[in-house]
Structure formats: C-alpha cells, structure tokens
Amino acid sequence: MVMASVAGRPLLMFRRVCQKGGGVLGNASGFSERILSGSTGVAPSTQTISRALPAPFVTINANITGPRYLSFAPGNKGSAPERKSLLRMHAVSLYQADYDDEGDDAKWEDETQPEGKQTSLDPREGRKAEEEEEATWWLYDGTQESRDALEAMRAKEAKKKRWIQNSRPPVRVSEIDERGRAYGRGTRKCAKARVWIQPGEGEIVVNRKDFISYFPRESDRDHILGPFVASQTCGKFDVTAMVNGGGLTGQAGAIRLGLARALEKYNPDYRPPMKRQGFMTRDPRMVERKKVGKVKARKSPQWVRR
C-alpha cells in the first residue's frame, strides 16, 4: 500500500505535465516506461524517486502560447502548491444587456428617453456648472437666506449675459430680389417713400417722372443724392421711387432715407460711411402745432401799447 502510493505520485504529476503539452526535464520517455513497467522493484523506492525526480521539481513548458503555469512535485509540507498562475487577473464589469447576435448584423435599438431627461451632457455645460459651483460654494450654507442670495446672484449673471448678447451688432446680409433689386422704405414728416435700386447708369425716376422735373430746387436734389456721395456709388445704380404725402422737402427727405436703406440692403459695406454722415437715421422733426392765443406755434400777435 505504501509502495503503490509512493509510485503513484510521480505518475500523477507526469500526467498533469503531459496534459499541458510539455515534458519533464531529462529523459521523460524512459522515466514513463520505468514507471509503467514497474521496474522500480519491490525495494523501497524512495531513493529511486529522489534520484529521478528531485523535490521540489519544477517543469516549465515554453511551447504553451497561453498563460504559463508552474508545476511542483510533492515535497515537504511547506512547499508551494502544485499549480500557480503567473497571469494577473482583473475584475471586468459587464452591463446588463443582450449580447446575442443571431443575425448577420447586430440590431441595436436606441432606448427612448422621457421628455425633459437629457441623455448626454455637453462638456462645455459641465465645465460651466463646475465653475459656477466653485464660484458660489462659499455662499450656500443650507439656509433659506443663502438660497435666496444664490438665486439673486444667478439672475444677475443671466441678465448680464443678455446685456452682452444684445450689445453685439447684428449680422447684416445682402437682400436682393429675383430681379436684382434692393428695396428701402423711408419717411419724413408726413411723406412716405418706397425706393428700389438696381445696377444701371444712374437714372432716377420719381413717381414715373424725371428727377429734375419733379424736384426743381437744387437743394432738394442734393439732399437726395447724399447717400450716393457718401458710399461713392454715383452713376452705378438706377433708382425708382414712389412717394406720397407731405411737400417737396418732406418727400426729398423720405426718398433719401429709403435710398440709404436700399444701398445698405444691396451691400452692407455701404452702411458705415452713410452712418457717419447721418443718412441712416430718420429725421424726427415735425411741424409744431399752433397754440391758442398765438399766430402760429410760437409767434405772438403784434403788441399794441394803446
């Protein structure tokens, strides 16, 4: 019984090594034949085993492509375990999901999120939230007064952002219709004018009449041509104007404002020089009404001593 148990230990170790694909150091075939044929004899085999297989005996197989293992022969009680893995294992977290791909391509379906729930957070929004938290952490201590102060600070910051946004100049783009014309509308006193411009030779028509015949005074004509002089576009556009209401002075002012706005719609680069000259601003002056006891708005009747 003792001899069988002693002889069985090397055989068990040899089987474990062979299953892993490696052989023992030395003449493994001869060792296996001696063990299987029983040539060890009836004498105590402790010396034979110690000569053929010193304890602890380590086998390393370099042909194994996977993780390597160490096999230790039985020895003293304080020897290492028979099998030890040299590969460090780490825990892997798997989310609950369906990983079965039965078809050719996996069918992925996005989950529908309820309204008001944000599926992803913009990194910029996250940074803004962190900066706000760092800037206001000292203000909030859990009381109602601190919450009110925090809300007031946030409202003030939001108002400041709106002011900054509103102070920025609007983005102006060219607005030209399908006929290649730009449109502008102007008013002055009681006169209202609609003006269209298009590339041409500088011809101006007012209410289907010639420009010179409609405005006989040279001051009115110079008043109307002011936007062309400021934008340096004299003789480059044909003008068609329709005006009604008021007198010739009011109509001339209305046409000038409509012409300046039409030039701005045609090319926004014309706006700065016209703005500096005041052509983009409507003249708010109106005729003052007559007062009771006065001849006109301000004129008093002639004073008679006696």
Side-chain angles (χ1 to χ4, degrees):
M1 181 70 66
V2 175
M3 182 177 62
S5 62
V6 173
R9 289 181 179 178
L11 182 59
L12 179 60
M13 189 278 298
F14 178 74
R15 289 179 179 177
R16 290 179 180 176
V17 173
C18 292
Q19 289 176 0
K20 296 176 183 179
V24 297
L25 298 177
N27 191 0
S29 60
F31 174 75
S32 61
E33 291 176 358
R34 288 197 302 272
I35 295 299
L36 296 177
S37 62
S39 61
T40 56
V42 295
S45 59
T46 57
Q47 297 180 357
T48 305
I49 295 173
S50 63
R51 289 193 302 269
L53 188 62
F57 183 74
V58 182
T59 62
I60 301 176
N61 186 8
N63 297 326
I64 300 176
T65 59
R68 296 183 178 182
Y69 297 92
L70 297 179
S71 298
F72 295 89
N76 299 329
K77 294 182 179 180
S79 61
E82 295 184 0
R83 181 176 181 180
K84 182 178 179 181
S85 176
L86 296 180
L87 180 63
R88 180 175 296 178
M89 304 300 293
H90 299 277
V92 179
S93 299
L94 297 178
Y95 296 97
Q96 295 181 0
D98 185 10
Y99 298 99
D100 296 334
D101 300 337
E102 297 180 358
D104 296 335
D105 297 329
K107 297 180 180 179
W108 302 95
E109 297 181 358
D110 296 336
E111 298 182 358
T112 57
Q113 298 293 339
E115 295 182 0
K117 183 177 180 182
Q118 189 175 3
T119 57
S120 60
L121 181 64
D122 191 358
R124 294 175 294 182
E125 298 294 336
R127 287 193 297 269
K128 290 181 181 179
E130 292 177 0
E131 293 176 358
E132 182 181 358
E133 183 177 359
E134 292 177 358
T136 59
W137 67 269
W138 55 271
L139 185 62
Y140 182 73
D141 57 357
T143 61
Q144 183 64 31
E145 291 78 6
S146 64
R147 286 194 290 268
D148 296 341
L150 185 60
E151 291 296 332
M153 179 180 292
R154 290 177 178 174
K156 185 176 180 180
E157 293 294 333
K159 184 183 293 185
K160 186 184 296 185
K161 290 180 181 179
R162 289 197 301 269
W163 288 347
I164 295 174
Q165 183 67 25
N166 294 336
S167 64
R168 295 176 181 174
V171 179
R172 304 182 186 276
V173 296
S174 179
E175 299 180 11
I176 302 175
D177 60 5
E178 63 278 0
R179 299 177 60 179
R181 302 180 304 175
Y183 171 74
R185 181 179 178 274
T187 58
R188 171 75 171 94
K189 294 184 178 179
C190 296
K192 301 178 182 179
R194 296 174 296 164
V195 182
W196 292 268
I197 63 171
Q198 59 184 354
E201 298 178 356
E203 182 181 359
I204 301 176
V205 177
V206 179
N207 289 345
R208 299 181 181 179
K209 293 183 180 180
D210 185 60
F211 178 57
I212 297 177
S213 62
Y214 194 88
F215 292 103
R217 291 197 295 265
E218 186 177 357
S219 60
D220 294 338
R221 296 196 295 265
D222 294 340
H223 193 74
I224 293 173
L225 298 177
F228 284 135
V229 177
S231 60
Q232 299 180 359
T233 55
C234 295
K236 295 182 179 180
F237 293 96
D238 290 341
V239 180
T240 301
M242 301 296 293
V243 61
N244 57 359
L248 293 179
T249 303
Q251 291 182 354
I255 293 175
R256 187 184 75 167
L257 180 60
L259 179 60
R261 291 178 176 177
L263 287 172
E264 178 197 0
K265 295 291 184 62
Y266 191 87
N267 188 355
D269 295 338
Y270 295 153
R271 177 182 173 85
M274 293 189 298
K275 182 69 175 179
R276 286 191 294 267
Q277 298 294 332
F279 297 142
M280 300 299 302
T281 304
R282 183 187 182 277
D283 190 352
R285 295 177 297 175
M286 300 288 288
V287 177
E288 191 174 351
R289 64 174 293 271
K290 180 185 177 301
K291 276 77 173 181
V292 177
K294 301 285 185 178
V295 178
K296 294 197 300 184
R298 301 289 182 91
K299 183 179 179 181
S300 300
Q302 184 179 4
W303 178 73
V304 180
R305 185 172 184 177
R306 292 182 178 88

